[in-house]
Amino acid sequence: MGLAQTQQVLAQLYTNTDFRERFFANPEAVGAELGLSCDEAQKLAQLSAQEVNIFANSLKWKRLGEVRELLPRTARALGKNFTALFWRYAQTHLPKGIKKHREDAIAFANFIAIAEEENLDPPWISDLVRYEKTWLLAYEPTSRLIVCWFRYPVGIANLEGMNRQPTIAIWFRLSKQSQLRHIVRSL
């Protein structure tokens, strides 16, 4: 087994809970699915399942911390629900690429929007999630103009007791090199 194949299998073990459980339950069969010989699968199976699980959980906690930093108001508004939703999300999504924390936060915001159908409290959470996600999208250097409408005044500092009030938010750059600007107005 080459280095690249070993790294690929280890990455799966550390990031995919279902794969990890299947592998440690039957290493030869799962190894064969990946093109590993019985001997190679047995060598990998010698890893401590408990240690692999501990390391995998530490990776998820690190991801949660990064996403929490990128969606701070959403994390504060959802409280413990933020962590519970993130664990559900992390079971099915693994970020890739060089801007993976940002992409992870955007994908998680999309996941929350779908989960919002479960009647998450507070009622304005979907607007807040879209607002923070749009900030992340607007930071992309190629982004020049983004306009979003919201049902609630999500740009205000204190979100508690917020009442419905149509609000528009605009993110723009005058050129690719210029600073990102942001305007929020409640109507």
Side-chain angles (χ1 to χ4, degrees), residues 99-173:
K99 296 179 181 179
K100 63 182 168 187
H101 298 306
R102 182 179 159 279
E103 297 302 323
D104 206 15
I106 291 168
F108 181 54
N110 291 333
F111 178 85
I112 293 173
I114 293 167
E116 204 271 329
E117 295 171 2
E118 299 172 10
N119 297 321
L120 292 175
D121 276 331
W124 38 263
I125 196 68
S126 63
D127 274 12
L128 181 61
V129 170
R130 271 192 321 115
Y131 179 74
E132 287 196 310
K133 179 180 95 171
T134 305
W135 264 110
L136 295 173
L137 294 169
Y139 270 110
E140 187 63 34
T142 57
S143 176
R144 298 286 297 273
L145 175 68
I146 300 176
V147 179
C148 287
W149 286 93
F150 300 97
R151 296 169 296 168
Y152 293 88
V154 291
I156 63 175
N158 185 6
L159 299 173
E160 294 303 316
M162 187 171 14
N163 295 319
R164 283 179 84 103
Q165 185 176 12
T167 300
I168 188 170
I170 303 168
W171 292 262
F172 64 96
R173 280 189 180 84

Side-chain angles (χ1 to χ4, degrees), residues 62-80:
K62 181 179 181 200
R63 281 176 64 197
L64 172 64
E66 296 289 341
V67 169
R68 188 182 305 272
E69 284 184 28
L70 293 169
L71 301 171
R73 296 175 75 198
T74 300
R76 205 168 36 249
L78 285 174
K80 292 178 183 176

